[in-house]
Short mmCIF file of all heavy atoms in Angstrom, two decimals:
data_model
loop_
_atom_site.label_atom_id
_atom_site.label_comp_id
_atom_site.label_asym_id
_atom_site.label_seq_id
_atom_site.Cartn_x
_atom_site.Cartn_y
_atom_site.Cartn_z
N ASP A 58 115.65 89.30 113.86
CA ASP A 58 116.93 89.36 113.05
C ASP A 58 116.90 90.32 111.82
O ASP A 58 117.75 91.10 111.48
CB ASP A 58 117.11 87.87 112.44
CG ASP A 58 117.73 87.04 113.52
OD1 ASP A 58 118.19 87.49 114.61
OD2 ASP A 58 117.74 85.85 113.24
N ARG A 59 115.58 90.40 111.24
CA ARG A 59 115.35 91.26 110.08
C ARG A 59 115.48 92.82 110.54
O ARG A 59 115.99 93.65 109.82
CB ARG A 59 114.05 90.99 109.24
CG ARG A 59 113.87 91.42 108.03
CD ARG A 59 114.88 90.96 107.06
NE ARG A 59 115.02 91.62 105.78
CZ ARG A 59 115.98 92.49 105.53
NH1 ARG A 59 116.90 92.82 106.37
NH2 ARG A 59 116.09 93.07 104.41
N LEU A 60 114.92 93.01 111.71
CA LEU A 60 114.78 94.46 112.25
C LEU A 60 116.43 94.83 112.47
O LEU A 60 116.83 95.94 112.16
CB LEU A 60 114.12 94.54 113.51
CG LEU A 60 112.64 94.67 113.45
CD1 LEU A 60 111.92 94.25 114.70
CD2 LEU A 60 112.25 95.91 112.76
N HIS A 61 117.18 93.94 113.05
CA HIS A 61 118.55 94.28 113.35
C HIS A 61 119.30 94.65 111.97
O HIS A 61 120.06 95.51 111.91
CB HIS A 61 119.24 92.98 113.97
CG HIS A 61 118.90 92.80 115.36
ND1 HIS A 61 119.31 91.78 116.18
CD2 HIS A 61 117.82 93.43 116.20
CE1 HIS A 61 118.69 91.93 117.46
NE2 HIS A 61 117.93 92.92 117.36
N GLU A 62 119.11 93.62 110.92
CA GLU A 62 119.85 93.90 109.67
C GLU A 62 119.31 95.18 109.03
O GLU A 62 120.14 95.86 108.38
CB GLU A 62 119.42 92.81 108.76
CG GLU A 62 120.14 91.40 109.03
CD GLU A 62 119.43 90.23 108.33
OE1 GLU A 62 118.56 90.45 107.41
OE2 GLU A 62 119.72 89.12 108.73
N ALA A 63 117.99 95.58 109.36
CA ALA A 63 117.49 96.73 108.65
C ALA A 63 118.13 98.11 109.09
O ALA A 63 118.23 98.98 108.33
CB ALA A 63 115.97 96.81 109.00
N ARG A 64 118.79 98.14 110.19
CA ARG A 64 119.39 99.20 110.76
C ARG A 64 120.64 99.65 109.97
O ARG A 64 120.87 100.94 109.92
CB ARG A 64 119.87 99.06 112.20
CG ARG A 64 121.18 98.43 112.49
CD ARG A 64 121.34 98.06 113.91
NE ARG A 64 122.66 97.76 114.29
CZ ARG A 64 123.15 96.47 114.13
NH1 ARG A 64 122.40 95.55 113.50
NH2 ARG A 64 124.32 96.16 114.46
N ARG A 65 121.09 98.85 109.06
CA ARG A 65 122.26 99.19 108.26
C ARG A 65 121.84 99.45 106.91
O ARG A 65 122.48 100.07 105.98
CB ARG A 65 123.42 98.24 108.24
CG ARG A 65 124.08 97.99 109.58
CD ARG A 65 125.28 97.44 109.62
NE ARG A 65 125.83 96.91 110.79
CZ ARG A 65 126.16 97.64 111.77
NH1 ARG A 65 126.08 98.92 111.71
NH2 ARG A 65 126.60 97.11 113.02
N GLU A 66 120.54 98.90 106.44
CA GLU A 66 120.15 98.79 105.06
C GLU A 66 119.05 99.85 104.74
O GLU A 66 118.76 100.09 103.60
CB GLU A 66 119.64 97.49 104.81
CG GLU A 66 120.73 96.29 104.98
CD GLU A 66 120.06 94.91 104.88
OE1 GLU A 66 118.75 94.85 104.57
OE2 GLU A 66 120.69 93.94 105.11
N PHE A 67 118.32 100.28 105.79
CA PHE A 67 117.00 100.98 105.56
C PHE A 67 117.01 102.27 106.47
O PHE A 67 117.64 102.34 107.45
CB PHE A 67 115.82 100.12 105.78
CG PHE A 67 115.63 98.98 104.77
CD1 PHE A 67 116.11 97.79 105.19
CD2 PHE A 67 115.10 99.11 103.69
CE1 PHE A 67 116.17 96.64 104.30
CE2 PHE A 67 115.01 98.06 102.69
CZ PHE A 67 115.55 96.91 103.04
N ASP A 68 116.17 103.18 105.95
CA ASP A 68 116.01 104.52 106.59
C ASP A 68 114.76 104.46 107.70
O ASP A 68 114.57 105.12 108.53
CB ASP A 68 115.79 105.54 105.64
CG ASP A 68 116.94 105.79 104.70
OD1 ASP A 68 118.10 105.99 105.23
OD2 ASP A 68 116.70 105.59 103.58
N GLY A 69 113.88 103.35 107.36
CA GLY A 69 112.73 103.25 108.19
C GLY A 69 112.03 101.94 107.93
O GLY A 69 112.27 101.30 107.03
N VAL A 70 111.26 101.56 108.93
CA VAL A 70 110.42 100.35 108.91
C VAL A 70 108.94 100.53 109.11
O VAL A 70 108.60 101.36 109.98
CB VAL A 70 110.98 99.34 110.00
CG1 VAL A 70 110.21 98.06 110.02
CG2 VAL A 70 112.48 99.14 109.83
N VAL A 71 108.23 99.82 108.31
CA VAL A 71 106.65 99.65 108.52
C VAL A 71 106.49 98.30 109.03
O VAL A 71 106.88 97.41 108.34
CB VAL A 71 105.91 100.04 107.22
CG1 VAL A 71 104.47 99.68 107.47
CG2 VAL A 71 106.10 101.57 106.78
N LEU A 72 105.85 98.11 110.15
CA LEU A 72 105.75 96.70 110.65
C LEU A 72 104.36 96.43 111.19
O LEU A 72 103.62 97.20 111.99
CB LEU A 72 106.62 96.72 112.04
CG LEU A 72 106.50 95.56 112.98
CD1 LEU A 72 106.91 94.28 112.20
CD2 LEU A 72 107.30 95.66 114.21
#
Side-chain angles (χ1 to χ4, degrees):
D58 286 345
R59 196 68 192 95
L60 285 166
H61 290 179
E62 288 163 12
R64 79 191 195 281
R65 302 204 193 284
E66 302 168 5
F67 294 93
D68 301 303
V70 177
V71 170
L72 170 64

